[in-house]
Amino acid sequence: MSVIYLLLTISILVAILFFIAFIYSVKTGQFDDSYTPSVRMLFDDELIKDKKEKPTKD
């Protein structure tokens, strides 16, 4: 039974360690996207079709 307590304690400590590492990496900008903003302008707008002008009567 003591092995279960030991494994549970170790797993909780590892989970806390990974959570702290994740929070640290988010705060330092590890997950900031530096590629998408440069490409976003290419895909953001749909193609604008030129409206055909109505023929005017002279």
Side-chain angles (χ1 to χ4, degrees), residues 35-53:
Y35 176 70
T36 303
S38 64
V39 181
R40 187 179 301 153
M41 64 177 241
L42 299 174
F43 302 112
D44 225 9
D45 298 332
E46 295 180 12
L47 294 175
I48 300 173
K49 296 181 180 178
D50 293 333
K51 293 181 181 179
K52 293 184 178 179
E53 294 180 13

Side-chain angles (χ1 to χ4, degrees), residues 20-43:
I20 290 171
F22 174 72
I23 296 298
Y24 175 75
S25 63
V26 167
K27 288 191 181 278
T28 58
Q30 182 71 28
F31 293 109
D32 288 347
D33 190 8
S34 62
Y35 176 70
T36 303
S38 64
V39 181
R40 187 179 301 153
M41 64 177 241
L42 299 174
F43 302 112

